[in-house]
């Protein structure tokens, strides 16, 4: 695998990333200016369940009076976090369940997560090659070999990766354009494959007060269920091999 120039990014690549970052920041500032005058010191990315509960308690009243603004802020922040690989989207998914319930939270999380993954995909397509080679050389070699081997049933393989925790989602978002995964396959596998995990997280968010640890979200039973669903998604690949 020829990697060419690995790192650092060229000036053009840095400028492209800076432009994307600036556009998100302008959007967030614009949304902030549409909110009523108040003390917004509680607005910060949650890093613990306690942070999340404080944020939820403050946002509940705003959600009923300024639903559109809250939705747009949530959507923009979620996409921003996924685009720039900022950890903590699990807390955002819990927040969606807590504020909008299971159905509303599911729709919001799946749309935001798919849009964020897509944004990361295209940003990586522009500037991500040196970063992916630098951060995950071994994973990239493995991923490229698997994609090449499963090209005929690539959708099933990508769906399996999304459903199961086999590879980190951040890596999949960044590496997919590097190993020539078509965006149509990437988009469909992402939007469908994220549903099981999103349901688990959003549903837990509806009972946020009872959740003791983020680790409780994915116990052995939950992980086993995700792998079972993942194996089912690969069944067409196994069947096609058996028929040859």
């Amino acid at each position: 695998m020829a990697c060419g120039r690995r790192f650092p990014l060229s000036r053009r690549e840095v400028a492209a990333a800076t432009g994307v970052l600036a556009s998100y920041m302008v959007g967030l500032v614009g949304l902030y200016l549409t909110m009523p005058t108040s003390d917004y010191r509680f607005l910060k990315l949650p890093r613990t369940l306690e942070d999340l509960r404080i944020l939820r308690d403050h946002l509940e009243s705003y959600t009923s009076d300024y639903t559109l603004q809250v939705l747009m802020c949530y959507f923009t922040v979620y996409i921003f976090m996924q685009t720039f690989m900022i950890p903590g989207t699990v807390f955002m998914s819990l927040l969606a369940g807590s504020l909008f319930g299971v159905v509303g939270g599911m729709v919001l999380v799946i749309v935001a997560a798919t849009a964020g993954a897509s944004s990361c995909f295209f940003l990586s397509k522009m500037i991500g090659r040196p970063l992916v080679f630098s951060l995950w050389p071994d994973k990239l070699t493995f991923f490229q070999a698997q994609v090449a081997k499963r090209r005929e049933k690539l959708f099933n393989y990508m769906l399996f990766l999304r459903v199961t925790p086999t590879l980190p989602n951040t890596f999949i978002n960044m590496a997919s354009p590097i190993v020539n995964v078509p965006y149509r396959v990437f988009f469909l596998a992402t939007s469908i494959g994220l549903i099981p995990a999103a349901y688990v997280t959003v549903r837990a968010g509806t009972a946020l007060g009872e959740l003791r640890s983020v680790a409780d979200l994915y116990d052995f039973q939950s992980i086993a269920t995700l792998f079972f669903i993942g194996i089912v998604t690969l069944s067409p690949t196994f069947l096609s091999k058996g028929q040859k």
Side-chain angles (χ1 to χ4, degrees):
M1 184 190 306
C3 63
R5 174 181 50 79
R6 292 168 61 93
F7 197 80
L9 300 176
S10 68
R11 292 181 179 178
R12 180 178 297 180
E13 290 167 340
V14 171
T18 303
V20 174
L21 175 63
S23 66
Y24 278 116
M25 297 305 296
V26 169
L28 284 172
V29 171
L31 289 169
Y32 175 80
L33 294 176
T34 66
M35 297 294 285
T37 302
S38 184
D39 182 4
Y40 290 108
R41 284 179 294 180
F42 66 88
L43 283 178
K44 65 176 183 178
L45 294 179
R47 295 302 181 197
T48 66
L49 288 177
E50 184 60 31
D51 290 344
L52 183 60
R53 292 186 183 104
I54 293 173
L55 181 62
R56 186 274 313 273
D57 291 343
H58 282 88
L59 284 179
E60 279 182 329
S61 60
Y62 289 99
T63 301
S64 59
D65 296 331
Y66 301 93
T67 305
L68 181 60
Q69 288 93 329
V70 172
L71 284 172
M72 291 300 296
C73 285
Y74 178 95
F75 194 72
T76 304
V77 170
Y78 202 115
I79 295 175
F80 177 82
M81 292 176 70
Q82 282 214 312
T83 300
F84 294 98
M85 301 183 293
I86 300 173
T89 52
V90 64
F91 293 111
M92 297 295 291
S93 298
L94 288 167
L95 181 63
S98 182
L99 291 177
F100 302 104
V102 174
V103 177
M106 282 278 293
V107 173
L108 185 59
V109 167
I110 292 169
V111 172
T114 302
S118 298
S119 179
C120 187
F121 178 98
F122 287 114
L123 184 63
S124 180
K125 192 170 186 177
M126 288 192 299
I127 68 170
R129 184 174 296 273
L131 293 176
V132 175
F133 273 104
S134 177
L135 293 173
W136 303 290
D138 295 334
K139 280 189 175 68
L140 185 61
T141 301
F142 169 80
F143 189 39
Q144 184 180 46
Q146 292 298 311
V147 168
K149 183 170 67 174
R150 305 174 189 275
R151 184 65 64 178
E152 292 183 3
K153 298 289 183 180
L154 188 55
F155 170 75
N156 298 91
Y157 178 62
M158 293 297 296
L159 189 59
F160 170 81
L161 293 181
R162 285 305 195 188
V163 171
T164 66
T166 305
L167 289 173
N169 280 325
T170 297
F171 169 78
I172 297 171
N173 297 341
M174 290 286 292
S176 290
I178 309 302
V179 299
N180 297 319
V181 173
Y183 176 67
R184 179 178 62 85
V185 172
F186 176 88
F187 174 83
L188 290 174
T190 299
S191 57
I192 298 172
L194 292 179
I195 292 175
Y199 173 76
V200 171
T201 311
V202 170
R203 186 170 180 273
T206 62
L208 189 59
E210 301 173 10
L211 192 63
R212 296 181 180 180
S213 169
V214 175
D216 294 340
L217 291 172
Y218 297 103
D219 55 16
F220 176 80
Q221 183 177 356
S222 299
I223 294 175
T225 302
L226 292 178
F227 268 104
F228 175 76
I229 296 172
I231 291 171
V232 171
T233 65
L234 281 181
S235 58
T237 304
F238 297 142
L239 290 173
S240 65
K241 286 183 178 181
Q243 294 171 356
K244 290 182 179 179

